[in-house]
Amino acid sequence: MATIKLASGHNMPIVGFGLWKVDQNTTAETVYEAIKVGYRLFDGAYDYQNEKEAGLGIKKAIQEGIVKRDDVFVTTKLWNNYHSKEKAKKMAYAQRESWGLEYIDLYLIHFPIALKYIEPEKLRYPGWWMDEAHQVVETDRVPVSETWQALEELVDEGVVRSIGVSNFSTQLLYDMLTYNRHPISSLQIEHHPYLVQDTLIKMAQENGIVITGYSTFGPQSFIELPPAFRKRAEVVPTLFENPVIQKLAKKYGRPAGQILLRWATQRGIAVIPKSNNVARLKQNLEVNDFSMTDDELAETAALDAGLRFNDPGFYLERPLRIFD
Ligand code: NAD
């Protein structure tokens, strides 16, 4: 499995498996099967509510001698209601306990916005951004610096090995680089040909921050969500059928999904596609044994439409305009 070196010194596989919307009941088996197919990176989050089950799948593979703990790379994320130093640390310890794997490889701040504390057991999907009654989205006065310091202490305490952020902008990253003690190892962002984000990617890469791209297939992941969340996705053509992607798929004799994934990895971006289907799992993993030309990468990038699907400034009734 090809890996990429993080600023922390640890290696992260360049292709992984994304755990968002993987049903809790099937997660352990899906993860175990994914390991058998060859996956070594799993991308989870408190938000996805399947960390314990993913950990069980990994532990089964370890017990059967298919992999060792150090062969597997676990990423997970801190949710918005737990940004205060005390809550962030408590949450990370609890998440490590859920995975049951001794340490977390990469721990990310999920979104650059602190929300008021809600007891974990009172958070109910899909109301993650809101209070229990799904009425109020209430921000909290916690600076990113406080949350980052919590993550740094978690590294010192051996709970997590590398730390990073998700959905952050260049301004925040530049700011963090004025006070960070441990490196920002990775920035995880939405990334596909409809949302190319050249400036953000360049800035991160120039500063040694490895980009992980999510929702590589663009609208695909969002059309299966409740109405407010799929509104933007359902009115645009799929990327799989886009003529540029189709042309490349034909030329390289590859499914369109592989073209989209390879376009990202050729830009030095790690990918974490999600699939519940074993044949596609395999297909999504085998993306680094062909290369497109620079012109073809540019032609794909020219599909950019600044189209963001994971946008709480759009899908929340009381918007959080973090990307504007
Ligand atoms: P994705 O681009 O991986 O798309 C998933 C969808 O594409 C699913 O509907 C799946 O059935 C379908 N699919 C998978 N492989 C396919 C193939 N080969 N051909 C055709 N269809 C295929 O989108 P995603 O799940 O949104 O993103 C991947 C992962 O990124 C998530 O699981 C999660 O781990 C992470 N993520 C992180 C954030 C964040 O805020 N940090 C947000 C969204 C997702």
Side-chain angles (χ1 to χ4, degrees), residues 16-22 39 42-45 47-48 75 77 79 108-111 129 165-167 188-192 212-225 240 255-258 260-261 271-277 279-281 283-284 310 315 323:
F17 180 81
L19 287 161
W20 184 34
K21 294 188 255 120
V22 178
Y39 282 86
F42 292 91
D43 182 81
D47 178 36
Y48 307 158
T75 300
K77 313 181 192 91
W79 190 243
L108 307 176
I109 304 175
H110 206 147
F111 280 93
W129 295 90
V165 294
S166 180
N167 300 303
Q188 188 175 124
I189 50 166
E190 181 175 341
H191 174 260
H192 44 74
T212 302
Y214 70 73
S215 304
T216 312
F217 304 138
Q220 195 63 27
S221 170
F222 297 87
I223 49 186
E224 55 197 48
L225 290 175
F240 297 119
Q258 287 191 354
L260 293 167
L261 293 163
V271 289
I272 42 173
K274 171 253 168 184
S275 176
N276 289 329
N277 169 311
R280 278 186 182 161
L281 270 180
Q283 205 183 88
N284 292 346
N310 191 16
Y315 56 59
F323 293 113

Side-chain angles (χ1 to χ4, degrees), residues 33 51 158 176 190 231 267:
E33 287 301 327
E51 293 180 288
M176 291 174 73
E190 181 175 341
K231 242 190 245 166
R267 304 181 91 209

Side-chain angles (χ1 to χ4, degrees), residues 13-307:
I14 197 157
V15 183
F17 180 81
L19 287 161
W20 184 34
K21 294 188 255 120
V22 178
D23 193 273
Q24 210 176 60
N25 297 323
T26 56
T27 299
E29 193 56 24
T30 304
V31 166
Y32 171 73
E33 287 301 327
I35 291 176
K36 287 211 286 188
V37 168
Y39 282 86
R40 294 295 178 266
L41 159 63
F42 292 91
D43 182 81
Y46 181 75
D47 178 36
Y48 307 158
Q49 289 293 287
N50 52 17
E51 293 180 288
K52 183 169 163 233
E53 293 73 17
L56 288 173
I58 295 171
K59 278 189 279 190
K60 184 175 171 198
I62 294 173
Q63 274 152 17
E64 292 183 8
I66 302 169
V67 284
K68 296 194 286 294
R69 169 62 185 94
D70 285 356
D71 299 329
V72 180
F73 190 102
V74 168
T75 300
T76 196
K77 313 181 192 91
L78 175 74
W79 190 243
N80 314 327
N81 304 85
Y82 310 107
H83 275 208
S84 76
K85 193 170 189 179
E86 182 209 337
K87 297 289 190 294
K89 289 189 70 174
K90 199 169 160 206
M91 202 58 183
Y93 272 89
Q95 288 178 262
R96 175 180 68 163
E97 187 70 27
S98 293
W99 286 88
L101 294 166
E102 223 176 302
Y103 58 87
I104 300 293
D105 289 278
L106 175 63
Y107 196 52
L108 307 176
I109 304 175
H110 206 147
F111 280 93
I113 184 99
L115 297 181
K116 204 161 176 287
Y117 178 72
I118 298 178
E119 283 170 52
E121 52 281 7
K122 289 195 176 154
L123 274 180
R124 290 280 176 276
Y125 195 81
W128 293 103
W129 295 90
M130 292 155 253
D131 69 330
E132 213 182 344
H134 294 182
Q135 296 299 314
V136 186
V137 179
E138 208 175 339
T139 54
D140 199 5
R141 288 168 60 90
V142 184
V144 169
S145 57
E146 177 176 333
T147 314
W148 187 253
Q149 278 159 16
L151 266 57
E152 294 186 321
E153 287 181 16
L154 290 162
V155 175
D156 299 338
E157 291 162 21
V159 179
V160 307
R161 288 198 165 172
S162 305
I163 49 179
V165 294
S166 180
N167 300 303
F168 276 46
S169 62
T170 57
Q171 293 98 323
L172 264 175
L173 293 171
Y174 277 126
D175 185 57
M176 291 174 73
L177 290 169
T178 66
Y179 59 76
N180 70 317
R181 190 164 57 78
H182 286 303
I184 307 168
S185 282
S186 187
L187 164 68
Q188 188 175 124
I189 50 166
E190 181 175 341
H191 174 260
H192 44 74
Y194 287 151
L195 187 67
V196 174
Q197 307 201 77
D198 254 338
T199 305
L200 176 56
I201 288 164
K202 277 201 191 103
M203 182 272 168
Q205 291 178 340
E206 283 160 7
N207 286 282
I209 303 169
V210 169
I211 300 271
T212 302
Y214 70 73
S215 304
T216 312
F217 304 138
Q220 195 63 27
S221 170
F222 297 87
I223 49 186
E224 55 197 48
L225 290 175
F229 296 79
R230 65 168 189 255
K231 242 190 245 166
R232 265 188 194 158
E234 62 193 1
V235 296
V236 294
T238 83
L239 278 168
F240 297 119
E241 279 148 29
N242 180 280
V244 173
I245 307 300
Q246 275 296 321
K247 183 185 75 181
L248 295 170
K250 217 167 270 162
K251 173 174 170 189
Y252 290 97
R254 300 287 180 147
Q258 287 191 354
I259 300 294
L260 293 167
L261 293 163
R262 184 61 179 140
W263 174 73
T265 62
Q266 276 193 252
R267 304 181 91 209
I269 294 175
V271 289
I272 42 173
K274 171 253 168 184
S275 176
N276 289 329
N277 169 311
V278 177
R280 278 186 182 161
L281 270 180
K282 206 164 146 44
Q283 205 183 88
N284 292 346
L285 191 61
E286 293 164 355
V287 297
N288 290 319
D289 57 347
F290 73 104
S291 291
M292 294 178 275
T293 66
D294 287 348
D295 283 351
E296 289 164 347
L297 298 182
E299 198 185 356
T300 305
L303 299 174
D304 192 13
L307 200 46

